Amino acid sequence: QPLESGGGLVQAGGSLRLSCTASGRTFDKHTMAWIRQAPGKEREFVSAMNWDGDSWYGNAVTGRFTISRNNRKTTLFLQMDNLKPEDTAVYYCAASRFASGIYYYRIETYDSWGPGTQVTVSS
């Protein structure tokens, strides 16, 4: 099961870096994603990376967020720059049963979820 860290409170325009590990296992056989949920809203796709390093971003974060992982493929990162109050949400790290990245944008593709980490951006 994934485990997120790195959330917190930041002012608008600031940066945060989220991390996700999966009990020491590698991400080779999964597409890994960051998905967020703001209060009163549905879960929203943020970014994903497949086994081969291909990455994708949601429209709301393109150009501001960057997904990456370490060389051993045991830790997933989300660098969030130029944060906005509308980025406030619980951020989840999730694993898909598809390694290729197919259907990366579909929330239902992801079947293993971390508990989430809160990101709050003040105006």
Side-chain angles (χ1 to χ4, degrees):
Q1 181 178 1
L3 180 63
E4 307 91 345
S5 62
L9 173 64
V10 64
Q11 288 188 333
S15 298
L16 281 175
R17 189 192 197 200
L18 305 184
S19 299
C20 171
T21 59
S23 302
R25 295 188 297 176
T26 66
F27 300 144
D28 279 19
K29 297 182 180 179
H30 304 278
T31 292
M32 300 298 298
W34 292 98
I35 294 164
R36 68 186 182 186
Q37 187 167 25
K41 296 187 177 181
E42 295 184 350
R43 290 185 174 183
E44 176 189 19
F45 171 78
V46 175
S47 183
M49 177 175 282
N50 71 358
W51 70 277
D52 202 27
D54 298 323
S55 59
W56 302 272
Y57 297 91
N59 290 337
V61 306
T62 298
R64 300 188 297 121
F65 291 11
T66 304
I67 192 171
S68 63
R69 65 189 179 197
N70 64 350
N71 289 336
R72 294 176 58 199
K73 301 179 183 179
T74 57
T75 306
L76 185 74
F77 303 100
L78 184 69
Q79 177 66 39
M80 305 186 295
D81 297 319
N82 190 21
L83 283 160
K84 304 176 180 180
E86 51 264 43
D87 294 319
T88 295
V90 176
Y91 283 71
Y92 298 93
C93 178
S96 165
R97 58 188 179 275
F98 301 114
S100 67
I102 188 171
Y103 305 131
Y104 67 87
Y105 49 90
R106 293 185 181 177
I107 303 300
E108 61 267 29
T109 298
Y110 300 93
D111 53 10
S112 181
W113 293 73
T117 185
Q118 177 70 45
V119 171
T120 302
V121 185
S122 62
S123 58

